[in-house]
Amino acid sequence: MTAQTGLVNLLGLTQPQLEQFFESIGEKRFRAGQVMKWIHHFGVDDFDSMTNLGKALREKLRACAEIRGPEIVSQDISSDGTRKWVVRVASGSCVETVYIPANGRGTLCVSSQAGCALDCSFCSTGKQGFNSDLTAAEIIGQVWIANKSFGTVPAKIDRAITNVVMMGMGEPLLNFDNVVAAMSIMMDDLGYGISKRKVTLSTSGVAPMIDKLGEVTDVALALSLHAPNDELRNQLVPINKKYPLDVVLAACRRYIDKLGEKRYLTVEYTLLQGVNDQPEHAEQMIALLADMPCKINLIPFNPFPHSGYERPSNNAIRRFQDLLQQAGYNVTVRTTRGDDIDAACGQLVGQVQDRTRRSERYIAVRQLNAEG
Ligand code: SAH
Ligand code: SF4
């Protein structure tokens, strides 16, 4: 139920939840399929447009339900085709969604939380602290808004969005139920019909939740590795202190094994100049991932003010990639897209009201350092 209106927001309901809703108002379950198509295939947000529902049912729905996406604050289209939306969620914070067209694919990068509590040292979202979990409607609402921006309906025919990655703001495994519900709508034929191989959840390594994920879904998994040993990873990805590399890699392995043949883990590795981009790091990574069915995605660091890190030179990036490739790994380097609209990884800032007040602490510390 939406707090402001007291109406049930149908946007974030999975098919079984919507069937239950119709039953609860004394209607047939098959109405769920009809309404889902209107919402997700045709981008409709008013019941009067749903012409295959009788007038009485439409009135009944108007009285108890709504279809409410997050409020669009801005929409930018980059010269390279990248699109970025800033949307406001119920907590008042803003989050970002980015669409990246490349090589015949259209990938939508979706946020799961306003801010993030995990405070990875090189991530601008982390530097803002945590504000709120997004509801399932706010998560799938980002797909709904992006899909509508392409104008053509139904979604299944248009297919501007072929892939979704949960790689926007937030740690998706710390907003588990809402993320799982939204991903289920992404994959449902009555939703966006995206294949399970093309919906990817990226985690910084919340090990027990990786196992829990394997119990309820079979989407693709990406692990934000960023360091090949515990000492360095403890500094860059602080949750490593709780779930160290052997624990998190074992959980990933169980997840991938459960998915079966031809499935693999995507390993994300943000390259930070002089920190984790040396040949010794590549050698350690080669040993660490020896038994893991995986593809490696190197992400050259995207700078933001006061980060304290730099992006390595193209030569250093190539050298790191070559070392891994020579050891037999499939390695891609993520090209930066949408730079001109601040849409690149780690540049997603939104406007988060920090409940942990980390950003204030962070700014205070920076000032102290600068003064000292
Ligand atoms: N919280 C999740 C998903 C969101 S971040 C996670 O950490 O996996 C998506 C990817 O971008 C992660 O691999 C993250 O570590 C990386 N990233 C964050 N800040 C970055 C930056 N400034 N430059 C490059 N990559 C960054
Ligand atoms: Fe959170 Fe991911 Fe950023 Fe780490 S990298 S602070 S987990 S959003």
Side-chain angles (χ1 to χ4, degrees):
M1 195 122 58
T2 311
Q4 304 101 310
T5 61
L7 303 172
V8 180
N9 189 357
L10 305 189
L11 180 61
L13 300 191
T14 61
Q15 194 183 339
Q17 288 170 335
L18 201 53
E19 283 172 353
Q20 243 175 18
F21 165 78
F22 275 103
E23 246 176 16
S24 76
I25 60 166
E27 297 289 337
K28 294 271 187 329
R29 293 167 75 90
F30 77 91
R31 296 292 184 194
Q34 293 178 316
V35 169
M36 273 190 88
K37 281 189 191 167
W38 281 116
I39 298 175
H40 300 292
H41 293 186
F42 295 97
V44 158
D45 63 2
D46 68 299
F47 296 113
D48 282 335
S49 305
M50 303 185 178
T51 46
N52 55 353
L53 308 187
K55 196 159 174 265
L57 176 55
R58 298 202 304 252
E59 263 166 33
K60 192 172 181 181
L61 286 172
R62 259 208 315 273
C64 69
E66 64 179 347
I67 299 153
R68 179 193 287 265
E71 178 198 341
I72 301 175
V73 176
S74 66
Q75 172 175 332
D76 290 301
I77 301 186
S78 160
S79 50
D80 66 7
T82 305
R83 298 179 178 206
K84 183 176 89 166
W85 294 264
V86 175
V87 300
R88 184 171 291 116
V89 295
S91 66
S93 287
C94 291
V95 300
E96 300 182 7
T97 312
V98 181
Y99 175 79
I100 307 147
N103 312 324
R105 290 195 304 259
T107 303
L108 192 70
C109 180
V110 169
S111 293
S112 57
Q113 296 181 313
C116 181
L118 295 187
D119 200 19
C120 298
S121 63
F122 53 86
C123 173
S124 60
T125 304
K127 290 296 155 229
Q128 300 168 80
F130 172 75
N131 181 263
S132 64
D133 281 335
L134 268 53
T135 63
E138 288 166 343
I139 299 169
I140 198 67
Q142 298 169 61
V143 184
W144 185 69
I145 286 170
N147 191 54
K148 286 208 289 184
S149 79
F150 293 98
T152 355
V153 285
K156 280 183 59 151
I157 295 170
D158 183 21
R159 286 271 184 220
I161 301 168
T162 59
N163 297 58
V164 176
V165 291
M166 297 302 305
M167 293 185 189
M169 298 170 72
E171 168 50 56
L173 290 184
L174 293 183
N175 184 12
F176 191 85
D177 291 344
N178 292 333
V179 166
V180 167
M183 293 193 308
S184 140
I185 301 172
M186 292 170 202
M187 293 185 283
D188 193 331
D189 277 339
L190 295 169
Y192 298 87
I194 301 173
S195 120
K196 60 189 180 186
R197 291 164 193 267
K198 294 183 175 177
V199 173
T200 303
L201 183 145
S202 171
T203 178
S204 56
V206 191
M209 303 310 280
I210 295 175
D211 285 315
K212 207 174 153 199
L213 189 71
E215 287 164 19
V216 294
T217 189
D218 50 5
V219 298
L221 183 67
L223 174 70
S224 292
L225 185 69
H226 308 314
N229 62 66
D230 282 319
E231 197 192 345
L232 183 57
R233 198 163 190 267
N234 285 347
Q235 293 167 30
L236 303 180
V237 185
I239 197 166
N240 193 69
K241 293 177 205 153
K242 199 163 176 192
Y243 307 116
L245 278 170
D246 57 344
V247 173
V248 79
L249 287 172
C252 289
R253 184 66 209 245
R254 286 192 292 276
Y255 187 90
I256 296 303
D257 284 348
K258 214 166 170 186
L259 294 182
E261 248 180 275
K262 293 196 183 153
R263 303 292 296 272
Y264 54 86
L265 176 71
T266 298
V267 174
E268 297 165 277
Y269 194 96
T270 296
L271 284 166
L272 307 163
Q273 185 178 44
V275 176
N276 66 356
D277 65 341
Q278 299 301 302
E280 72 199 63
H281 299 118
E283 299 302 337
Q284 288 174 21
M285 205 162 152
I286 290 164
L288 186 70
L289 298 173
D291 294 327
M292 183 70 80
C294 65
K295 291 188 182 175
I296 299 172
N297 191 214
L298 301 176
I299 315 173
F301 173 63
N302 288 311
F304 57 92
H306 311 304
S307 73
Y309 292 110
E310 279 174 49
R311 179 189 299 200
S313 68
N314 287 344
N315 274 347
I317 295 169
R318 181 78 46 79
R319 183 185 60 182
F320 201 87
Q321 181 183 23
D322 283 350
L323 285 171
L324 296 172
Q325 273 175 339
Q326 281 157 19
Y329 288 95
N330 181 329
V331 191
T332 49
V333 178
R334 196 176 298 174
T335 45
T336 301
R337 303 289 305 273
D339 248 352
D340 54 337
I341 54 171
D342 279 351
C345 280
Q347 288 181 328
L348 305 187
V349 177
Q351 287 165 14
V352 171
Q353 292 153 7
D354 177 15
R355 289 222 171 118
T356 62
R357 303 220 165 261
R358 180 177 301 128
S359 51
E360 281 169 31
R361 287 203 307 272
Y362 178 67
I363 290 163
V365 170
R366 301 274 339 163
Q367 278 168 351
L368 275 178
N369 286 347
E371 284 160 15

